[in-house]
Amino acid sequence: MIRILLLSLAGACAAGIGLGQAQALRTRAALLLALRAVLSQMMDAMLLASMPLPALLRGLGDGGHGARRAVGMAMVRAGEILETSPDLRFQAAFLAAVGEQRAGPLRALRAGDLEALSPWLALIGEGGRDQQRRALEGATAVAERLEREANAQLPAQVRLCRTLGLAAGAALVLLLW
Amino acid sequence: MSDWRDDLLRYLPASVRRRAQELSEAQAQSVVEIRMRAGQRVEFVTDRSGAFELDWRPGAPEVQSTLAALCDHSAYARQEEICQGFVTVRGGHRVGLCGRASVQEGRIVGLHTVGSLCIRIARPILGAADGLMPALFDASGRPRSTLILSPPGCGKTTVLRDAIRQLSQRGQHVCVADERSELCAVIDGVPQMPVGSRTDVMDGCPKAQAMQMLLRAMNPDWIVTDELGRAADAQAVLDAMRCGVAVLASAHADGLTALRSRPELRGLMDAGAFSGYVLLQRRGRIASRYDARGEALHEA
């Protein structure tokens, strides 16, 4: 009886890992979409309202839920880091904030996503309005591309992860029986 | 620790921060400027006509990072100020900038590769306007519009700022057209300088427009502004006075003769716009007072 229970548990774990991977892929796409929304909000606040960066970042934590809230809270945290260490740049503060939340909802973002955004994030908060427009447009375009790629790969990858997880679970049960 | 260090230290490079922390209270109180130039030693200028230097020489990137930090990484929101060659930072300290200007159609649209910063420490001096206050009211207690004159560096802004505070404390509704954020140093809507509880500030707006807006919207007893100079400023002062609002303002001039030589401001004198003129000498002390016609009332 115990053997059957242990085997079932092992199978369920393998299947769960597969399903978890599939969910992480969905979350990554949602986070990239949320990042685009936040960047667009930043562009409006910077260029239309000339809002200073710390106040702007504080405001990004309001509203939203799920991925949008997670990205907003990372921005709020980046603002806090910038205010305590003004000699840091926005990019460093944002990466530190994301790093702190990697154990949380932002863990679905890949290191490659942040690397691709890096050149544009480095320009945020530095220079005049034209530079900010270019930086935010550049970052938005990269986020959009990553999100499109993620969405395009999503169905196949989700299917693969789910199938592999379930197959691994079943195989484990059969092998250990 | 003195106030300027509380306001500024965290924005400055580590070497400057360390040296500033080592200053005694008396030394810190005597610092009036911090000058950073790319490739040169950082200089602390004191009010005793002296200076002491750091061994450390910042490069251009350090100067630019310091500026970015002083601007809260929001240079885009301070572009108009930067194009005028300065930014006012938390605490009301004014940072003068030198760099390479981008000019389009004769207008400065940006200042790049900033290589020099001159951080002027702002210190409100309570009581700086004690000598001026009696000149602002007539015998029956009615406000008298007054123009404060002095060459640069004699304390016009300090005197004006304290006059705002004292007028406000006397129950007057004071509206300030603070084009360069020097008088009240408003950050996030809150004046960083002690300007009284009955003071409203129109911040960062061209003086002439600000005065018209304040006149229409805020029902002031006094409108206060710094450094009149343009014809539009003079016109706005005349408009305010015609509406029965007293104006307290300042202008760069070392006397009434110099004021008359400025065509934009001569009209104000000819129109008898101000009930009195006050000439300041070093450290905000009153050198002379004049009536509306420019006749001397008192020699210090």
Side-chain angles (χ1 to χ4, degrees):
Chain A
M1 187 64 181
I2 290 171
R3 195 174 162 199
I4 290 171
L5 277 174
L6 285 173
L7 288 172
S8 307
L9 195 63
C13 284
I17 289 168
L19 292 170
Q21 285 297 317
Q23 185 56 36
L25 290 170
R26 279 197 207 96
T27 308
R28 175 177 169 245
L31 284 170
L32 289 166
L33 177 65
L35 186 60
R36 270 176 59 198
V38 164
L39 288 169
S40 154
Q41 207 175 328
M42 284 174 75
M43 182 134 58
D44 289 347
M46 274 183 177
L47 304 179
L48 301 180
S50 280
M51 197 182 277
L53 192 60
L56 183 163
L57 294 173
R58 274 197 302 274
L60 292 172
D62 300 334
H65 57 274
R68 168 64 185 79
R69 179 153 184 79
V71 175
M73 292 317 290
M75 291 293 184
V76 172
R77 181 69 192 124
E80 288 168 359
I81 294 170
L82 263 188
E83 287 198 87
T84 31
S85 314
D87 47 341
L88 283 183
R89 292 180 162 212
F90 167 78
Q91 182 192 21
F94 177 69
L95 292 180
V98 170
E100 282 176 12
Q101 299 193 19
R102 280 311 272 270
L106 292 184
R107 67 181 175 276
L109 275 183
R110 293 177 180 170
D113 297 336
L114 296 173
E115 262 170 45
L117 287 160
S118 234
W120 300 109
L121 295 181
L123 298 177
I124 292 177
E126 310 295 321
R129 283 192 199 113
D130 288 344
Q131 186 160 322
Q132 294 314 296
R133 180 179 290 111
R134 277 197 298 275
L136 289 163
E137 283 173 354
T140 307
V142 171
E144 190 177 357
R145 176 176 60 75
L146 291 170
E147 184 210 339
R148 215 175 28 242
E149 287 169 7
N151 276 327
Q153 295 164 357
L154 197 59
Q157 286 191 340
V158 167
R159 242 189 339 266
L160 186 66
C161 287
R162 209 168 39 205
T163 312
L164 281 176
L166 290 171
L172 206 58
V173 170
L174 287 174
L175 280 171
L176 294 175
W177 185 252
Chain B
M1 185 175 281
S2 61
D3 287 343
W4 70 266
R5 288 189 287 183
D6 293 342
D7 296 331
L8 290 173
L9 280 202
R10 61 204 197 99
Y11 300 108
L12 299 177
S15 311
V16 183
R17 204 181 308 154
R18 265 196 306 276
R19 182 68 183 91
Q21 275 164 339
E22 287 164 10
L23 295 177
S24 69
E25 197 62 33
Q27 281 178 315
Q29 288 299 334
S30 71
V31 173
V32 290
E33 286 176 3
I34 301 169
R35 289 177 174 266
M36 276 180 77
R37 302 177 182 95
Q40 303 298 326
R41 290 178 174 181
V42 175
E43 189 185 13
F44 287 74
V45 181
T46 69
D47 59 358
R48 298 181 188 112
S49 311
F52 46 94
E53 292 179 336
L54 264 65
D55 285 337
W56 181 64
R57 295 167 195 262
E62 280 89 9
V63 173
Q64 284 148 27
S65 316
T66 305
L67 175 61
L70 285 164
C71 292
D72 277 333
H73 300 275
S74 308
Y76 59 89
R78 318 290 294 272
Q79 207 161 332
E80 280 77 21
E81 281 176 84
I82 289 172
C83 288
Q84 291 183 57
F86 70 92
V87 285
T88 305
V89 301
R90 203 171 285 277
H93 312 290
R94 188 166 172 177
V95 183
L97 317 169
C98 271
R100 185 172 176 79
S102 295
V103 181
Q104 279 176 14
E105 295 169 1
R107 194 171 150 261
I108 297 172
V109 293
L111 194 61
H112 307 287
T113 351
V114 170
S116 296
L117 303 180
C118 171
I119 304 170
R120 294 174 65 185
I121 310 293
R123 283 194 184 87
I125 300 178
L126 304 185
D130 285 352
L132 173 72
M133 293 311 290
L136 300 185
F137 295 92
D138 64 16
S140 58
R142 278 182 309 198
R144 298 174 78 238
S145 291
T146 302
L147 184 63
I148 301 172
L149 307 172
S150 87
C154 287
K156 278 190 304 292
T157 305
T158 308
V159 169
L160 213 47
R161 188 185 294 133
D162 192 53
I164 295 169
R165 180 185 66 83
Q166 296 202 34
L167 286 170
S168 179
Q169 280 179 347
R170 288 184 185 201
Q172 304 278 303
H173 289 119
V174 185
C175 288
V176 184
D178 196 3
E179 182 171 349
R180 298 184 183 182
S181 306
E182 264 194 304
L183 285 170
C184 306
V186 172
I187 303 273
D188 295 336
V190 181
Q192 304 288 298
M193 294 291 175
V195 289
S197 56
R198 292 183 188 85
T199 301
D200 303 298
V201 186
M202 187 66 80
D203 183 54
C205 177
K207 276 187 278 289
Q209 283 160 268
M211 281 192 270
Q212 282 164 4
M213 289 157 79
L214 291 168
L215 206 55
R216 272 189 236 124
M218 299 305 290
N219 189 22
D221 296 318
W222 286 87
I223 289 182
V224 182
T225 193
D226 206 4
E227 295 183 12
L228 294 181
R230 292 169 292 213
D233 301 342
Q235 188 55 49
V237 168
L238 285 173
D239 288 345
M241 287 167 177
R242 283 177 194 135
C243 295
V245 175
V247 175
L248 175 61
S250 69
H252 282 302
D254 58 6
L256 288 186
T257 313
L259 187 69
R260 278 198 192 94
S261 70
R262 296 176 66 179
E264 302 86 1
L265 301 181
R266 192 172 53 215
L268 285 174
M269 281 197 81
D270 294 343
F274 288 102
S275 306
Y277 299 87
V278 172
L279 180 65
L280 299 183
Q281 60 187 14
R282 295 284 304 169
R283 291 176 169 268
R285 279 198 291 270
I286 294 178
S288 319
R289 282 176 51 196
Y290 303 89
D291 66 11
R293 293 188 308 276
E295 304 288 335
L297 291 173
H298 163 75
E299 292 294 331

